[in-house]
Amino acid sequence: SDVYKRQAPECMVYRATFIRTGIIGNQFETDKGCSRILAEIGNFFEKCSGERHRFSELYELLQGKDYGVRKGILPLFIAQRLNLTEGTPVIYLKNKELEINKETLNRVNDFPEEYDLYVETEGAKKEQYLKKLEMIWKIKEQVHFKKSLRWAKVIEEMQKWYRSLPQYTMTTKNFEGEQLHQVLSFRNLLKRAEINPREALFERIPSIMETEDLEQTAENVKQLKDEMDQVLLKLQKKAVLIAKRIYGAQESESLKACLVSWYQQQRQEIKDYILGTSAMNFLGYLENLSTNDEIEIVSQISKKILDIYIEDWKDETLEQFQKELQDIKEKIEGAGEAPEEEGAKTIILKDGKGKQIQKNFRADMMEDSTSSYLKNMIDEALEEFEGTLETNQKVAVLVDVLENLLQ
């Protein structure tokens, strides 16, 4: 903006008062003294909500021993606060309402004991509402010279928060009763590409929260945000309890200890058994399990057996997780209980360095049509190279493929 570069006196005053003090922009560190002055002016305006107070109260405080503010800068800070005030602020000289302009502010500055400030109650409620929203979304206090900029900043931070949520939180309907309707409407509002900040803050959000009371609206928004921030953690804890229950642990016991104990109880040949991809991935994860973080454990297990992290689950995925985890346990334990003569086979591969890979599997795995189709494709490929590859070369290729598959 030109105000950052121009040498006009008013631009130089603006830069010295607001920019070099860090109140506006990020070029300079925020001056703590100026922040305190702005906070006291804000408190004075709040006190004037619904009742008149003399400006001398503010001036005596800010020019007292605790602050020692020079009179010259006070009209600048007061003007900024007047411009931001929701509703209509009124300056009185006795019982006469005055137009708010630079002449009036200069007279207030010269004779603060003669002038009063009054702020409409509704405007003060809007101010408290915005402050609460700024607190909820941890928005750093900033100086804005237009109310619209402040509104836009609040909506911007709300949308940033929404877009940073896990996919599960953006889609789940696991909220209780009436809160579900509010969550759906709130998510639909925040995911829109274009939002009218004034309409969203003062019309749409109160409507979603089903109240015209802005204080209650802010409280409901906080509760809603807290629920949305916690819904994934609640899901993760449910997944932890499911895993503990399936693998025989009490709720208070360690999930890691339970899984490692179960893994160690399996016979060595079962650990080397060729199972489905999800079961093998599960066993591979347990073999190297080191963390005690139960949330991390179930998230990794989900990725291993469902190929999806919990953060990306849908509402029905928890049931799929439970079923798959139970099926894997039964298949692994069932494989160990089956006698060897019931069709069990063993593959033993040894590389040129003498390293041996031994895996067991059941011979009835070829019954489904997809397996038959794969076998036919391999047979056709081998026939296609009948005249170009020797038998030992074909075997070497197949062994290499098997070795990679069994690692």
Side-chain angles (χ1 to χ4, degrees):
S1 174
D2 289 345
V3 75
Y4 287 85
K5 300 178 182 178
R6 291 169 56 189
Q7 299 303 311
E10 61 269 22
C11 294
M12 296 174 67
V13 170
Y14 174 87
R15 290 196 294 270
T17 305
F18 294 106
I19 297 177
R20 293 190 176 275
T21 57
I23 295 172
I24 289 179
N26 300 312
Q27 293 175 270
F28 299 92
E29 185 177 349
T30 302
D31 184 273
K32 294 181 180 178
C34 288
S35 295
R36 291 178 62 203
I37 294 170
L38 290 173
E40 291 293 355
I41 293 174
N43 292 338
F44 177 70
F45 272 67
E46 288 179 18
K47 190 164 64 171
C48 294
S49 171
E51 58 183 75
R52 290 165 57 168
H53 284 270
R54 285 284 164 88
F55 274 100
S56 56
E57 296 178 29
L58 176 64
Y59 274 75
E60 287 171 4
L61 173 65
L62 294 180
Q63 291 187 290
K65 62 178 182 179
D66 292 335
Y67 289 93
V69 179
R70 295 183 178 180
K71 265 190 172 184
I73 68 167
L74 287 178
L76 298 174
F77 289 146
I78 292 172
Q80 179 268 336
R81 193 66 185 78
L82 285 166
N83 193 50
L84 275 185
T85 300
E86 300 293 339
T88 305
V90 181
I91 294 179
Y92 286 93
L93 175 60
K94 295 183 179 178
N95 290 319
K96 181 182 179 182
E97 293 186 14
L98 303 177
E99 180 183 354
I100 297 179
N101 53 36
K102 64 179 181 180
E103 287 79 15
T104 299
L105 292 179
N106 284 332
R107 291 198 296 272
V108 168
N109 196 53
D110 292 334
F111 306 102
E113 69 278 1
E114 296 182 6
Y115 294 85
D116 296 343
L117 176 66
Y118 175 85
V119 179
E120 289 182 346
T121 305
E122 285 303 312
K125 289 180 179 179
K126 287 184 178 180
E127 174 64 25
Q128 288 300 313
Y129 170 62
L130 289 172
K131 279 191 172 182
K132 185 66 178 291
L133 294 181
E134 288 169 339
M135 182 188 71
I136 293 170
W137 269 274
K138 298 181 174 58
I139 301 173
K140 178 185 176 184
E141 186 173 342
Q142 298 181 13
V143 170
H144 300 287
F145 283 89
K146 290 184 180 179
K147 287 182 283 188
S148 59
L149 294 178
R150 185 185 187 187
W151 301 338
K153 180 64 176 176
V154 174
I155 291 297
E156 177 188 344
E157 291 301 319
M158 284 183 173
Q159 289 191 296
K160 280 184 181 178
W161 164 78
Y162 172 74
R163 291 165 184 160
S164 70
L165 292 174
Q167 183 65 27
Y168 175 77
T169 308
M170 288 185 175
T171 60
T172 182
K173 294 183 179 179
N174 280 330
F175 296 94
E176 295 183 1
E178 186 59 33
Q179 194 172 67
L180 173 58
H181 173 72
Q182 293 178 345
V183 168
L184 294 176
S185 299
F186 196 53
R187 291 191 309 210
N188 286 336
L189 174 65
L190 294 183
K191 73 182 181 183
R192 291 170 56 183
E194 294 184 6
I195 299 178
N196 181 314
R198 185 206 61 78
E199 179 186 348
L201 289 170
F202 300 110
E203 296 178 23
R204 296 290 301 279
I205 293 178
S207 175
I208 291 170
M209 300 303 149
E210 299 178 347
T211 177
E212 295 180 358
D213 186 309
L214 292 180
E215 182 179 358
Q216 188 60 50
T217 296
E219 185 60 34
N220 291 355
V221 167
K222 182 180 185 304
Q223 292 176 5
L224 195 70
K225 180 179 182 293
D226 289 345
E227 284 296 319
M228 292 177 68
D229 285 336
Q230 291 293 315
V231 70
L232 175 62
L233 179 60
K234 291 179 180 178
L235 175 72
Q236 291 168 327
K237 288 181 177 179
K238 287 181 182 178
V240 169
L241 291 177
I242 286 172
K244 286 183 176 181
R245 184 170 65 251
I246 291 175
Y247 286 88
Q250 298 297 318
E251 185 175 339
S252 59
E253 293 178 327
S254 163
L255 178 59
K256 175 194 173 183
C258 161
L259 292 173
V260 170
S261 174
W262 175 85
Y263 177 77
Q264 291 173 346
Q265 289 172 12
Q266 310 309 306
R267 289 165 35 188
Q268 180 61 39
E269 55 264 37
I270 298 307
K271 295 177 188 176
D272 294 331
Y273 209 90
I274 301 176
L275 297 159
T277 302
S278 59
M280 292 181 69
N281 288 343
F282 179 66
L283 289 174
Y285 176 69
L286 297 189
E287 183 177 9
N288 300 299
L289 180 57
S290 58
T291 182
N292 285 298
D293 185 336
E294 296 183 341
I295 302 298
E296 173 67 15
I297 290 173
V298 292
S299 182
Q300 289 297 326
I301 290 175
S302 173
K303 181 62 176 174
K304 298 298 182 184
I305 70 175
L306 299 177
D307 196 27
I308 184 173
Y309 288 111
I310 291 184
E311 289 82 353
D312 299 320
W313 277 14
K314 297 179 180 178
D315 286 338
E316 61 269 20
T317 313
L318 181 64
E319 185 177 344
Q320 297 171 7
F321 176 79
Q322 179 173 346
K323 183 178 184 302
E324 186 68 17
L325 209 53
Q326 184 68 51
D327 288 348
I328 286 173
K329 181 174 183 288
E330 291 174 359
K331 287 177 182 178
I332 293 173
E333 293 177 346
E337 294 169 359
E340 292 185 3
E341 59 267 20
E342 290 186 2
K345 292 188 177 182
T346 300
I347 296 177
I348 300 176
L349 300 176
K350 186 180 293 186
D351 63 18
K353 298 180 181 179
K355 180 181 177 182
Q356 180 173 296
I357 299 174
Q358 179 173 325
K359 296 289 182 180
N360 306 311
F361 70 101
R362 293 192 60 77
D364 57 3
M365 291 185 178
M366 294 295 297
E367 293 179 356
D368 66 279
S369 59
T370 305
S371 298
S372 299
Y373 177 70
L374 175 61
K375 179 181 181 303
N376 292 335
M377 289 186 65
I378 294 173
D379 288 338
E380 290 177 7
L382 292 174
E383 290 177 5
E384 188 174 336
F385 288 92
E386 184 67 34
T388 55
L389 287 177
E390 298 292 337
T391 300
N392 61 335
Q393 292 176 307
K394 295 176 185 177
V395 170
V397 171
L398 291 174
V399 168
D400 187 57
V401 171
L402 272 176
E403 187 175 350
N404 291 331
L405 185 63
L406 298 177
Q407 291 290 348

